[in-house]
Amino acid sequence: MGVGWDAYGRAGRAQRWSARLALAAAALAALLPLLQGGLGGILLLLCAAAATAVGAAAVWWALTTRGTARAAAAALAVAAPLAVVGLFAVAGMLRTVVVCLALWSLAVWAGRYALRSTGLRPPRVREHRTPPPRRPVVFMNPRSGGGKVERLGLRVTAERLGARVVLLDHEAHQDVAALAREALAQGADLLGVAGGDGTQALVAGVAAEHGVPLLVVPAGTRNHFAMDLGLDRDDPAACLDALRDGVELRVDLGFAGDRPFVNNVSFGVYAAVVQSPAYRDDKVGTVLDMLPDLLTGEGGPRLTAHAGDTVLTDPQALLVSNNPYRRDDPFGLGRRERLDAGTLGVLGVRVDGPVAAAGLLLDPQGSGITVTTAREVVVHAGIPGAATGAASGTGAASETGPEPRPEAGTASGIEAGVDGEALVLPSPVRCRTAPGALRVRVPRHRPGVPEAQPPLDWRRLRKLAAAVGRTAAGRPGPVPPR
């Protein structure tokens, strides 16, 4: 009994002192410029904030203009932060800025450490024990990921574990879904894919339709689905161990119309750019050439999305994901905490001009970004450049919203990127989720999904720092172990 209470007491003390360290470091980071530079330090901080806003506005101008105006805006975007660095250097406070950044980093780390064990952790996906497959078929794309299939010996490993391997030939424009159905007709009891997310999604749709498990081998470039399944993307061959020693996970599968997706479907700027025939040969040039019209609404469809009770009006970019993405990992390329929540994640971005661009940089939680969840999202496309009352709104979303605009280009549909594949989907596009529709066989031993970092809540940190005793974590103390 004493051991249990002592362990909990030590954890509570560590949390309290971490919260106090976070508050002290944040306060010192804010006061240090004032203590060293006085009023001049405050003025320098205001100049830094103004330069940040000017730099963000300049980036907007660089993306939405061409020719000489674009070059001037790009120069301003570079000059603004350099000017601030020069001001701090002249004032002899450059070292102070470095110390303040270090203190703020310490405050963020200590605050998240203090809050990490106070919140509720999301439940893990339940593992199902099932016997190994008897007639597995694995489709492999030899060109994915720069030739990982051949370089890592994936075909040899799969065949040694009893799988029949089918090599895909993209030059022959094969129908992967049809090949998967043919394999099932021949008696396959597992469908595996060593390739990119787009190929995995097509096979996943067939596997879910027939109720057979899917085996994911991360042989593509990004492999986001494999990452969120907790697989080792650096060792694709280890994923083949699921053929002999694996468990099954039941996860959701998204659909954009009739097209399945395991990660996301994007509309707007990205979807329009990747549709361009010139994109493959000159990605940067194509993006710079198309962005002015797309961002200002003079080209591309005018989108309206209905996500539950929320209506997103004229977003330049819209992302609908199979389960919502985590917001604590901006450099993690979009991790998802769960794949079985039974909801779609919705992210809409609307920037109306340089002022909005500056505001979005200074306040990422502002009105230019809409984040929500829904079981179904319906996307309509209006006439490019049409002036409507909805188009003049200032926010990215409204609770009531206008009626959907008349469809434009219904014959050609809406441009979309489905798990990275450039497609044109019939309009309107109805995105939905099929909860638990996909059985995924994974190795018993795998890295897993890293735990999400809790958001910084300074009010909770203050309460935690001031708390005394075993209830410091903001909840009653645990029952001592018997």
Side-chain angles (χ1 to χ4, degrees):
M1 181 181 296
V3 175
W5 280 120
D6 289 344
Y8 183 75
R10 287 194 299 270
R13 286 193 296 271
Q15 287 177 292
R16 293 195 298 275
W17 282 108
S18 296
R20 293 164 186 168
L21 176 61
L23 294 174
L28 189 57
L31 293 175
L32 196 58
L34 178 62
L35 295 176
Q36 181 173 350
L39 182 60
I42 296 178
L43 292 177
L44 283 177
L45 290 178
L46 293 176
C47 288
T52 302
V54 170
V59 171
W60 171 263
W61 287 322
L63 294 177
T64 56
T65 57
R66 296 184 174 90
T68 305
R70 169 174 284 173
L76 179 60
V78 175
L82 291 179
V84 173
V85 173
L87 287 175
F88 277 101
V90 170
M93 294 183 61
L94 196 58
R95 183 177 300 177
T96 302
V97 173
V98 176
V99 174
C100 288
L101 292 176
L103 286 171
W104 181 251
S105 300
L106 175 62
V108 172
W109 176 85
R112 286 183 168 173
Y113 177 82
L115 296 173
R116 187 174 300 162
S117 58
T118 64
L120 295 176
R121 298 183 181 181
R124 293 176 59 89
V125 179
R126 182 181 177 184
E127 297 180 353
H128 300 268
R129 302 290 181 89
T130 57
R134 296 182 177 181
R135 301 186 65 181
V137 175
V138 181
F139 299 94
M140 295 188 175
N141 183 358
R143 300 178 60 182
S144 289
K148 288 183 180 180
V149 169
E150 182 68 25
R151 188 171 67 252
L152 302 178
L154 299 181
R155 178 180 182 178
V156 175
T157 302
E159 291 178 339
R160 187 175 67 247
L161 292 172
R164 179 168 70 89
V165 175
V166 177
L167 294 180
L168 301 176
D169 183 4
H170 273 266
E171 294 182 358
H173 301 288
Q174 294 171 302
D175 187 339
V176 179
L179 293 176
R181 291 189 177 91
E182 181 181 349
L184 292 176
Q186 295 173 356
D189 58 354
L190 177 142
L191 298 176
V193 186
D197 291 323
T199 306
Q200 291 172 1
L202 291 173
V203 179
V206 177
E209 178 185 351
H210 292 82
V212 299
L214 174 75
L215 173 69
V216 175
V217 183
T221 303
R222 292 176 292 272
N223 305 297
H224 285 181
F225 188 47
M227 174 178 65
D228 294 332
L229 287 170
L231 301 176
D232 189 349
R233 296 186 298 169
D234 297 327
D235 188 7
C239 300
L240 292 169
D241 289 341
L243 293 173
R244 61 182 176 185
D245 183 21
V247 293
E248 282 189 13
L249 310 178
R250 303 289 174 86
V251 302
D252 306 334
L253 184 62
F255 287 89
D258 295 330
R259 177 83 178 203
F261 64 92
V262 293
N263 291 325
N264 58 64
V265 52
S266 60
F267 304 90
V269 172
Y270 171 77
V273 167
V274 297
Q275 298 284 341
S276 173
Y279 180 73
R280 287 186 176 272
D281 298 328
D282 184 10
K283 291 182 172 60
V284 175
T286 303
V287 170
L288 292 177
D289 182 61
M290 296 181 64
L291 277 182
D293 293 336
L294 294 174
L295 292 178
T296 57
E298 297 179 3
R302 304 291 294 271
L303 300 175
T304 301
H306 294 253
D309 295 330
T310 302
V311 179
L312 291 85
T313 305
D314 291 339
Q316 286 112 331
L318 175 66
L319 186 76
V320 180
S321 59
N322 178 28
N323 285 270
Y325 285 108
R326 283 168 26 180
R327 304 185 68 184
D328 67 294
D329 188 17
F331 303 105
L333 298 179
R335 293 182 183 273
R336 288 165 290 182
E337 190 69 49
R338 299 181 59 182
L339 291 173
D340 62 343
T343 60
L344 298 172
V346 183
L347 172 64
V349 179
R350 174 177 170 181
V351 183
D352 291 326
V355 176
L360 188 61
L361 182 63
L362 296 174
D363 182 16
Q365 308 296 330
S367 59
I369 294 183
T370 299
V371 180
T372 186
T373 59
R375 293 292 298 270
E376 183 178 83
V377 180
V378 182
V379 183
H380 300 263
I383 302 173
T388 65
S392 62
T394 57
S398 63
E399 291 303 320
T400 57
E403 290 298 320
R405 283 188 286 273
E407 302 300 328
T410 306
S412 59
I414 303 178
E415 297 169 334
V418 183
D419 282 341
E421 301 289 335
L423 300 173
V424 177
L425 301 176
S427 179
V429 179
R430 189 177 303 274
C431 301
R432 59 182 177 86
T433 179
L438 183 61
R439 300 166 55 193
V440 182
R441 189 168 182 85
V442 297
R444 190 184 307 274
H445 304 289
R446 58 193 185 281
V449 179
E451 183 180 346
Q453 294 289 341
L456 278 181
D457 187 335
W458 295 104
R459 180 178 299 179
R460 288 180 62 196
L461 281 175
R462 289 195 299 270
K463 291 182 179 180
L464 185 59
V468 179
R470 295 188 177 94
T471 61
R475 59 186 179 187
V479 177
R482 295 178 180 179

